[in-house]
Structures are given as C-alpha cells and as structure tokens.
Amino acid sequence: MNDRRRVNGPPGGQDPRYMPHCFILGQVPETAHSVNDNLPSSGKSTGLIPSASGSSYLEFEPSASLAAARANPKSLIPPSSALKLACTVHGPKPLPRSAAFSPNLVLTTHVKFAPFAARKRKGHVRDSSERDLGVHLETALRGAIIAERWPKSGLDITITILEAEDDRWWGDAPDSHDASWGMMNVLAGCISAASAAIADAHIDCLDLVSGGVAALVSDDSTGSPSTAPKLMLDTDPAEHRSIVSACVVAYMPARDEITELWLKGDSSKASLAAGDERSGHEALIDGAVNAARGAHSVLAEAVKESLQKALGQS
C-alpha cells in the first residue's frame, strides 16, 4: 500500500554537483575549479531524475556571501542566501479521455517552495505567491515551445525551490523593502532551469529561454535625494539597503523576443542611473535583457556540451 502523504525519492539519481561560474549539464569533473573567485558561483545539471522526461538542477550563490564568509568565517551575521531549485518535466503525454480536444500542447507549471526554503516557513499548500510564479513561468515558456506538434497532449513542469534568496537587507533596517523583490530572482532562475529541463526532455522549442533581472538599488544610509540609484544586473536584495524598482524578463536571443515581462516599482529614475536619454522602463528592460543574454550564452554552451556527451555515450 502506497503512502500518499510521503514523497519518495527516485529509485536512482545523480549527485547535483556544480562547477563555479557556469551552467552544467551532466557530471562535472572533480578537478574543475574557479577561474575568478570574485565572480558569483552558479551551477546547473540535468538528467538528475531518471523517472522524469527531463530534469535540471540550478544553484547560485552570490559573490558577497562568498566574500563575507571567507573574510570573517566566525561572524554571527549569516551571509545572504543562495538560490537552489530543481525542475522536472513529465511529458508530452496523452491527456485524459475526459479532457476536451486541444490542437496544441497543454502546458502546466507548478512552483513550490520547500518548507525550509525561506526564513519564513512555507506551508505544504501552495500560496498566492507560488501560484503567481507558476503563471509567470507558464507565460514565459509558452512562447518558446512549438505546441502545435503535440495535439491533445500535456506537459507538466514542476519546480521545487530548495533555497530562495532573501527579500530583505541583512542590516539594521527591517522595513528596508517589501518581501517580493527576491521573488523576481527566483522567477529568473525558474525560467532558466525549466528551459534546461525542456531541452533535456528533447522537446522542440524555438530557442532556449533565459531569465534576467535588472534593478535600481540605493545603498545610501543618509537617504539623501541627491544620490541617484544605481542600475545593477542580477542583484541580491539581501545585499542592498533599498530597491527602487526591478524588472525580470524571459528572453529568446535567436528571435530577439521577450516572452515574459514583470516590472515592479518606480522606474522614473532608471534613465538617470543609466546615464542616457531612455525612459525609465526602457533602461530597466534593456538591463534585464542584457542579463538574460549572459545567462543564455552559458546555457547554450552547456546544452551543446551535454549533447556531445550524449552522442559520445550512444
């Protein structure tokens, strides 16, 4: 008799090893090392869950956390959190007979935080923020998948967030900013991880979709209005005192298309921070697109290496 209240692990698996500063698909040599310790470390691997059609694992640790931990390893102040998540893809599979006929692939996305993923413990039932992340992820992936090739078929994408980046600054300002800025970084990671899992499942797409985040941050403790905020890419909310506005995009470089856009905050000062005559929204969007391009180049190289490895083993 199966225990429906318990989620059992897969019968076989692979250790989610990672190499600093790159996306990884497949097993990584233990001799791999960092080229520049000042850069953020991140990793991605696929094929971790044999029972799924495709799977991926993403891990990203901010550079400030590494620097703080190495400079003062005995500090009582914890470093800012990392982003760790796992993605599984099941399908394409036939829809139930009771379902209405669909000429295109029916995409379903689920995003769930592990109970221990954030400082505030999450429940077992998905809340509104998790459902919103699922809607954003579905919109981002729907524009990339060639859905008409699988009529009356379904594709289930499930992302489990093992550790989420903190939403607040670790300093002495508990009300520095609200608790939704970190969700934008989580969404960008979900988009990139889901794209890698879809490629691992051999599902036809127009291009790999990558997520990028740009934000206007202000670290001035005096609150002087003359200090202009800075435009930064792939920011960690826990490293900055205040976030003015942020933008996350899902981008396909091959077609130069944005499949999903989420803009939040006051972006009227973005043009001033960027140092050009663009509007605030355009400056933030362009910054997020540049961040997504950087993630896409590394992800595409990892997919190429994974394919070469698979062809060599066959």
Side-chain angles (χ1 to χ4, degrees):
M1 181 176 180
N2 296 329
D3 187 359
R4 297 184 178 181
R5 296 180 179 271
R6 188 183 306 275
V7 180
N8 298 321
Q14 176 182 344
D15 294 336
R17 302 178 181 179
Y18 69 95
M19 183 192 307
H21 322 319
C22 64
F23 293 96
I24 300 168
L25 288 82
Q27 189 174 1
V28 182
E30 296 182 358
T31 58
H33 60 279
S34 171
V35 179
N36 189 345
D37 293 337
N38 295 327
L39 296 176
S41 60
S42 60
K44 176 175 291 184
S45 57
T46 61
L48 301 175
I49 303 177
S51 60
S53 303
S55 60
S56 66
Y57 172 84
L58 181 144
E59 180 174 338
F60 178 80
E61 187 172 359
S63 58
S65 300
L66 293 176
R70 293 172 180 174
N72 191 8
K74 297 182 180 181
S75 176
L76 298 178
I77 301 178
S80 54
S81 298
L83 177 62
K84 302 175 184 178
L85 55 90
C87 177
T88 58
V89 174
H90 296 274
K93 56 186 179 181
L95 293 176
R97 293 185 177 181
S98 59
F101 176 78
S102 175
N104 299 322
L105 180 70
V106 178
L107 179 63
T108 305
T109 57
H110 297 273
V111 179
K112 184 70 182 72
F113 282 80
F116 49 83
R119 280 197 268 176
K120 183 178 180 181
R121 188 173 180 85
K122 294 283 186 177
H124 294 281
V125 180
R126 290 198 305 164
D127 56 15
S128 59
S129 62
E130 294 168 332
R131 290 192 293 269
D132 290 341
L133 287 176
V135 173
H136 285 294
L137 179 62
E138 180 180 353
T139 306
L141 300 177
R142 190 179 298 277
I145 299 176
I146 307 178
E148 59 270 15
R149 295 190 178 181
W150 292 278
K152 202 177 181 182
S153 300
L155 183 68
D156 296 334
I157 299 177
T158 303
I159 292 183
T160 303
I161 301 172
L162 304 176
E163 185 175 355
E165 292 186 348
D166 295 311
D167 298 306
R168 297 182 182 275
W169 182 52
W170 276 108
D172 55 356
D175 56 347
S176 55
H177 39 75
D178 56 50
S180 61
W181 301 112
M183 303 290 289
M184 308 185 84
N185 290 334
V186 171
L187 176 60
C190 291
I191 294 172
S192 300
S195 180
I198 290 174
D200 185 54
H202 307 290
I203 297 175
D204 296 338
C205 295
L206 299 174
D207 189 14
L208 292 173
V209 186
S210 58
V213 180
L216 280 178
V217 300
S218 177
D219 296 329
D220 184 16
S221 60
T222 61
S224 175
S226 60
T227 304
K230 297 181 294 184
L231 180 62
M232 302 186 65
L233 307 182
D234 293 331
T235 57
D236 183 5
E239 299 176 0
H240 303 285
R241 181 180 297 272
S242 176
I243 296 181
V244 180
S245 62
C247 175
V248 56
V249 299
Y251 183 67
M252 294 191 300
R255 301 173 63 92
D256 194 20
E257 291 184 4
I258 296 177
T259 59
E260 175 63 6
L261 173 65
W262 182 11
L263 186 64
K264 178 180 174 63
D266 182 13
S267 58
S268 59
K269 299 181 180 179
S271 58
L272 179 61
D276 53 28
E277 297 180 354
R278 296 174 298 176
S279 64
H281 295 288
E282 292 178 353
L284 271 178
I285 294 174
D286 290 345
V289 168
N290 291 333
R293 285 175 177 169
H296 182 276
S297 61
V298 183
L299 179 59
E301 185 65 25
V303 172
K304 181 180 178 181
E305 294 179 359
S306 176
L307 179 60
Q308 293 175 351
K309 181 179 178 180
L311 294 177
Q313 294 178 353
S314 61

